[in-house]
Each structure stands twice: as C-alpha cells, then as structure tokens.
Amino acid sequence: MPAPTDAAGLRPMHALAASFVHWAVGTEGSSRSSALIRIGLAMLFWSRWAGELLFYMDQSPIGLFLAANFFVATTLLFVGYQSRAAAVWTGAVGLAMYYYFGFQFGREPWTHHHTYLLAVAALLIALTPCDRSYSLDRYLAVMRAERAGLPAPAERGNLWGLRLIVVQLCVLYFFAAFDKSSYAFLSGARIEAIFLWYYAGSDYPAGLAWFATIASVAVVALEYSLAFGLPFRATRRYLLLPGLAFHAIIYVTLPVYTFSATMVLLYLAYFDADAVDKVIARLQGIGLKEEIS
Amino acid sequence: MADIISIETGAGPAGRLSAGRLRFCVFIAIAAFMIAGPAAEQVFGVQSPWLRSWTMFSAIGLGVIDASFEIRQPDGALVPLDRFAMLDAPRNGKLKWIQNPEELASVIKRLCTAAGQGSDIRVRARLATRDGWQIIHTDAENACAD
C-alpha cells in the first residue's frame, strides 16, 4: 500500500519542519543575552548619532523633534524602562532617519547599511524578553514581587526575536556574498579599486594584484560560510573568530561606522541564551558560589 | 504545517495555540521581508529605497583611475615619470586621485607642457567599473602627440 510508505517518507520532513518551528517561535530561554543586546544597541545609537543630533545642530522644528525622540527613546532603551516599547520607539526613530531624513532629505550617510541595521535590530529586540534582565523594568518587577511576598520573576522568555536576528544576519551575509560572486569581484578588481580610492590614489602599488585576488576569494568564501555556518553550533566554533576578525578588519580599514560593532553585538543572538546566562553567572561568581554552597 | 505549529506552540488552551500560530505567521512574514529586499534587487533587478539590498561597497571605488606614466629619455629609454615631481605637486594633494577620464586628460596635458615641446610621454590608464577594470589609455602612442 503506497500510503504508509508515503507517510514514512514524509516523516523526516515533518520532523525537520517541527524542529524549525520549535527553533523559530517555540524556544524559551534566558533573557540576559537579549538585555545585553538592548543595552549595546542603545550605546551604538549614541555613539553613531548623539553628536549629530545635539539640539543646536539642527534647530528646525523637525530637527528638534527628531533629536528629542532620539534621546528619550534611546535613554529609555538603555535604562530599560518600558524596554520593549522603547525598542520599538528607537527602531522607529532609526527608520525615520533612514527613510525620511536619508532618502527624502538626502541626509548622508543616513541611508547606509549601518543605519538600517541598527534600526531593524532595535525593532527585532522588541520581540525578545529584553525587559526582563538588566533593566529598570526588572528592578520594578522584583520590587513588586518582594512587596507581594512572591519570588522574583524569572529572567526568561520566548526568544523568537533573537531567531529573527539570526535570520537577518544570515540573509545579510548571504546576499553580501551573492553580490560579490562575480568575476569583477573575485578577480580582485573591486578590492583594488576600493584600495586605490581610500589609500593609494591613482598609483597602483606593487603586489596589490595577488593580495586583492586572495582577499576577494577569501571574503566571499567567508561570507557564505558565515551565512550558513554561524547558526549551527558545530560550525560556529570555527567561524566565530574569523567572523569577528573580518568585522574588526573592515572597521579599522573602511568607513563602516557602527556596522561592524552592531554585527558583533548581534552575534550574541547566535548563542544559546541559557549558555550565555551560564557564562555570565560564572563571570560574576554566581555559579561558583552555588557550587560551594 | 498547521499541525506542526500546533504541536510546537504548546498543548495549552485554544487561545495560547492561536498566539503561537500568530507568532509563527509573523515570523515567516518578517523573514520573507528580510529575504525579499536583497532578492528583489540582486535577483530581479528591482531597485527601491524601501528594500535593503545588502550590496556592500558595490559603488565605492567606481570611477577611480589607475594610471602610470613613462617618459622617453634622450637615449631612447622609457623611464617611470613621477607626476608629483614633474608638476611640483604635493603627494597627498588633489593630484593623488585621478577621478575621471577628463581629469586624466588634464594631467597628461600638464605633464606634456612641463616636459617641454617634443617630449614623449606614455600613459597606461584603466578605469574602475562595476564589471572590473576598463582600459582607457594605452602606452602604444606618445600621449603628448594628441
């Protein structure tokens, strides 16, 4: 009878789909890595735009409105008061800077990748339990629980926002590599042109050709590897350091603004949230104390 | 897929089940948007500011010119020509970057003037384009003879 055979054949697909659904929206875990990303994003927003958005920089009504929204939203995000709403607010400010001020008003480099990535990351962190750790929200929740004679609320929640960050990073790496998968890039020509543009001027340095070719192939191979390898623990251990080194190199050699720092911060989303929690506990000596007691 | 979502989003009451399904639908919608942006531009060639293409540094460096100059000595030998020394220009000044063919033509004209009448200057130059280097000047002929 064909039916049972078909059903048996579909079973692995069913299991794979179930596993994906569980990974995507069914995982609960520690909220600490989400909270660390929340705090890091607020600091990255400040490091990138606080100087440009000081009130005297653009004294037009819309400029002052943007600056006020920026500083209030990011401060709430940093201290963690109404954290998830603050994350949405911060993300909306980032998108307004990107689409409205960047594309409509031509304000540069607000249309660049780093702006979009920061805005999207803030929106995605709103889908995590980023309010449940290292936040004023957490402090107030603990106070409320103490007054009611209840145990402190668990620092846990659904991690689907972190999963979406993982998807975003994979898509970013894949299409960054896909765009470079052409002879023009792999031959080294585009890296040579970038090097001349920023460093050498119109004088082609000796030895650049072989270096550019090797670097081009390595960059594309690394980006594809990061796209498909970072989500999995078995391959992540080999790709983490190359990924961090890659972002460190482009941070110090090219004007990528906060892009590298944001990517490195978002790497936290790849790790099992409970494993991150355990590392934090060990660093704070909590795990050790528990073991001794 | 619906039963998988039902299984994975808990065996709780009906309301919780709906929340899990809704969350999965939102997850898929957001993930689809993330993929649609770069796919639209890189696969289908649709450009829109509303969609992020993740084409990194694809425009930086385009238009820059790689140029080298040689001058013929009285004994007939061609030797490298230092355009900065010839034009008495700072090495980190404007002359460092030749940014388009018109600027290259201007530099060649100035070099020929500085070298004097009858000088023989050979120029090899290529322009950075999205498809790679495009040769815009060869050293087959004396650039000062143009």
Side-chain angles (χ1 to χ4, degrees), chain B residues 4 32 44 54 60-61 63 87 97-98 103 112-113 115 120 132:
Chain B
I4 294 166
F44 302 107
W54 301 118
I60 298 295
L87 298 175
W97 283 273
I98 301 172
E103 211 171 302
C112 291
T113 304
D120 181 355

Side-chain angles (χ1 to χ4, degrees), chain A residues 116-191:
Chain A
Y116 184 82
L117 183 64
L118 266 176
V120 163
L123 290 175
L124 293 178
I125 210 67
L127 302 175
T128 68
C130 64
D131 53 335
R132 294 186 195 168
S133 296
Y134 307 132
S135 63
L136 188 53
D137 291 330
R138 168 74 182 166
Y139 178 80
L140 295 172
V142 170
M143 291 296 110
R144 274 195 301 273
E146 281 183 3
R147 276 199 298 272
L150 298 169
E155 291 182 80
R156 298 183 72 75
N158 191 294
L159 302 176
W160 72 302
L162 290 184
R163 305 309 193 216
L164 280 166
I165 289 174
V166 167
V167 173
Q168 177 62 88
L169 296 189
C170 291
V171 168
L172 187 159
Y173 277 131
F174 174 79
F175 280 101
F178 185 76
D179 177 55
K180 297 182 184 83
S181 301
S182 63
Y183 177 75
F185 190 90
L186 293 170
S187 67
R190 271 169 64 184
I191 282 191

Side-chain angles (χ1 to χ4, degrees), chain A residues 14-70:
Chain A
H14 193 274
L16 193 66
S19 167
F20 173 73
V21 173
H22 176 73
W23 174 83
V25 296
T27 313
E28 295 228 339
S30 169
S31 53
R32 287 183 174 175
S33 50
S34 307
L36 288 175
I37 294 175
R38 187 199 83 233
I39 294 165
L41 287 176
M43 295 173 81
L44 284 169
F45 266 89
W46 286 338
S47 71
R48 176 61 189 89
W49 288 296
E52 282 185 55
L53 291 173
L54 293 172
F55 286 149
Y56 71 85
M57 297 289 280
D58 180 356
Q59 297 178 30
S60 68
I62 196 156
L64 292 171
F65 182 71
L66 173 67
N69 272 274
F70 174 86

Side-chain angles (χ1 to χ4, degrees), chain A residues 185-188 191 207-221:
Chain A
F185 190 90
L186 293 170
S187 67
I191 282 191
L208 178 60
W210 66 265
F211 169 78
T213 306
I214 293 169
S216 300
V217 173
V219 163
V220 173

Side-chain angles (χ1 to χ4, degrees), chain B residues 86-123:
Chain B
M86 176 71 92
L87 298 175
D88 196 23
R91 292 191 181 275
N92 266 323
K94 196 174 176 294
L95 193 61
K96 183 173 179 179
W97 283 273
I98 301 172
Q99 298 191 4
N100 52 57
E102 292 74 31
E103 211 171 302
L104 176 67
S106 167
V107 170
I108 292 171
K109 193 172 174 185
R110 288 165 62 197
L111 286 171
C112 291
T113 304
Q117 201 172 13
S119 55
D120 181 355
I121 292 177
R122 306 288 166 140
V123 180

Side-chain angles (χ1 to χ4, degrees), chain A residues 254-275:
Chain A
L254 297 167
V256 294
Y257 303 94
T258 49
F259 181 79
S260 280
T262 308
M263 291 295 285
V264 168
L265 175 67
L266 296 180
Y267 270 26
L268 267 176
Y270 283 117
F271 293 93
D272 174 54
D274 289 334

Side-chain angles (χ1 to χ4, degrees), chain A residues 184-250:
Chain A
F185 190 90
L186 293 170
S187 67
R190 271 169 64 184
I191 282 191
E192 289 171 352
I194 291 168
F195 186 80
L196 263 59
W197 182 269
Y198 284 117
Y199 291 96
S202 291
D203 299 287
Y204 191 92
L208 178 60
W210 66 265
F211 169 78
T213 306
I214 293 169
S216 300
V217 173
V219 163
V220 173
L222 179 62
E223 286 183 337
Y224 276 125
S225 303
L226 294 171
F228 294 110
L230 276 179
F232 303 102
R233 191 181 303 173
T235 41
R236 189 188 311 133
R237 57 190 301 190
Y238 302 107
L239 290 168
L240 185 64
L241 281 178
L244 293 175
F246 172 62
H247 286 295
I249 289 167
I250 60 172

